[in-house]
C-alpha cells in the first residue's frame, strides 16, 4: 500500500531507523525526563504510522515527525499537569570543553549547563518547544512554522519572547556567579 511515495513496512522500518535518535533526543529535551521516553517514542511512531496514508510529501518526513513529537508531548503534558515532577537530564548534556580548560572552568561550564537545563524545565512547554526546535534541533523558522502549524511571524514573536524569558531566568544565575566571585 503506497503512502504518498512511502511503501510498506520496509519503508516504515527505515523511517524509524533514520529518525529514532532524533525522536528520543527531542523527547528528552522537551520533557526533561528519561522515564517513560520509550512509551512516548512508541506513541510518536504509532501516530506516524497511522498518519502515513495521509502524508503527501508536501513537507519533509522530519517536519511531519517533529509535529507529531510536539503533539505527543503536549498530550502527555496535559495528562501530567497535576503532578509536574521533572527529572534532571544532566547525563545527556554534553559540554564542549577547550582541551586546556582547568578544573575551575570545567566546574563553571557544568554549573552553567545545569542552570540552563533547570531554566528550560521551568519554562512553559510552548517556550521550551520553540527554543528546543530552533537552538537544540537547529530547525529554521519556516520549518518550525510548519511543525507547529503557525504563521512565520508567530514563530519569530514566540521565539523572541521565549528567549527573553530564558534570558531573564539565566540573568539571575549570572548575577549569582558575579556576586560569588
Amino acid at each position: 500500500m503506497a503512502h504518498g511515495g512511502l511503501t510498506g513496512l520496509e519503508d516504515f522500518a527505515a523511517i524509524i531507523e533514520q529518525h529514532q535518535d532524533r525522536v528520543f533526543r527531542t523527547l528528552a529535551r522537551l520533557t526533561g525526563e528519561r522515564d517513560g521516553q520509550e512509551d512516548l517514542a512508541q506513541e510518536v511512531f504509532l501516530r506516524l504510522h497511522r498518519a502515513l496514508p495521509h502524508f503527501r510529501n508536501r513537507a519533509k518526513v522530519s517536519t511531519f515527525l517533529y509535529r507529531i513529537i510536539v503533539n505527543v508531548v503536549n498530550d502527555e503534558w496535559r495528562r501530567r499537569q497535576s503532578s509536574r515532577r521533572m527529572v534532571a537530564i544532566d547525563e545527556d548534556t554534553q559540554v564542549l570543553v577547550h582541551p586546556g580548560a582547568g578544573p575551575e572552568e570545567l566546574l563553571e561550564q557544568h554549573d552553567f549547563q545545569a542552570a540552563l537545563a533547570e531554566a528550560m524545565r521551568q519554562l512553559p512547554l510552548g517556550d521550551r518547544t520553540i527554543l528546543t526546535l530552533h537552538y537544540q534541533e537547529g530547525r529554521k523558522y519556516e520549518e518550525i512554522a510548519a511543525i507547529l502549524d503557525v504563521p512565520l511571524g508567530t514563530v519569530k514573536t514566540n521565539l523572541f519572547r521565549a528567549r527573553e524569558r530564558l534570558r531573564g531566568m539565566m540573568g539571575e544565575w549570572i548575577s549569582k556567579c558575579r556576586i560569588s566571585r
Side-chain angles (χ1 to χ4, degrees):
M1 177 161 123
H3 299 295
L6 299 172
T7 57
L9 291 176
E10 297 84 21
D11 285 343
F12 187 67
I15 290 171
I16 292 173
E17 176 92 19
Q18 181 180 1
H19 296 284
Q20 67 185 352
D21 290 344
R22 175 181 305 173
V23 168
F24 278 96
R25 182 183 65 233
T26 306
L27 286 170
R29 288 174 171 166
L30 291 177
T31 65
E33 298 184 6
R34 273 198 284 291
D35 293 341
Q37 215 178 51
E38 290 84 7
D39 292 338
L40 291 177
Q42 187 174 19
E43 179 65 20
V44 167
F45 285 116
L46 181 63
R47 288 186 189 185
L48 177 64
H49 188 265
R50 285 187 205 135
L52 281 178
H54 309 289
F55 182 71
R56 300 286 178 243
N57 289 331
R58 280 180 254 147
K60 292 189 273 185
V61 171
S62 61
T63 302
F64 197 56
L65 191 56
Y66 275 122
R67 181 179 291 184
I68 292 171
I69 292 167
V70 169
N71 288 338
V72 166
V73 170
N74 283 331
D75 291 348
E76 182 65 17
W77 196 256
R78 279 187 221 102
R79 278 193 287 274
R80 294 183 187 183
Q81 208 150 22
S82 62
S83 63
R84 289 189 158 198
R85 185 184 61 80
M86 296 297 214
V87 177
I89 58 169
D90 289 341
E91 293 171 23
D92 290 348
T93 305
Q94 294 181 354
V95 181
L96 293 177
V97 178
H98 186 279
E104 199 171 297
E105 282 181 71
L106 293 174
L107 181 59
E108 189 173 305
Q109 288 175 355
H110 179 269
D111 289 349
F112 176 79
Q113 290 295 325
L116 181 59
E118 180 60 30
M120 286 289 287
R121 278 191 291 280
Q122 291 178 19
L123 285 171
L125 182 58
D127 289 352
R128 189 168 52 237
T129 298
I130 201 159
L131 289 168
T132 296
L133 289 172
H134 185 69
Y135 290 106
Q136 294 177 313
E137 294 297 317
R139 303 294 111 197
K140 294 183 182 331
Y141 295 142
E142 295 80 10
E143 190 172 0
I144 295 170
I147 291 166
L148 300 178
D149 195 25
V150 297
L152 184 61
T154 301
V155 169
K156 291 177 180 180
T157 300
N158 290 350
L159 185 59
F160 173 80
R161 290 178 180 160
R163 192 173 36 236
E164 289 302 306
R165 279 190 275 277
L166 182 61
R167 181 178 288 137
M169 295 169 82
M170 292 305 292
E172 293 173 22
W173 182 85
I174 292 168
S175 298
K176 289 176 191 174
C177 288
R178 288 182 182 147
I179 292 169
S180 66
R181 286 186 177 184

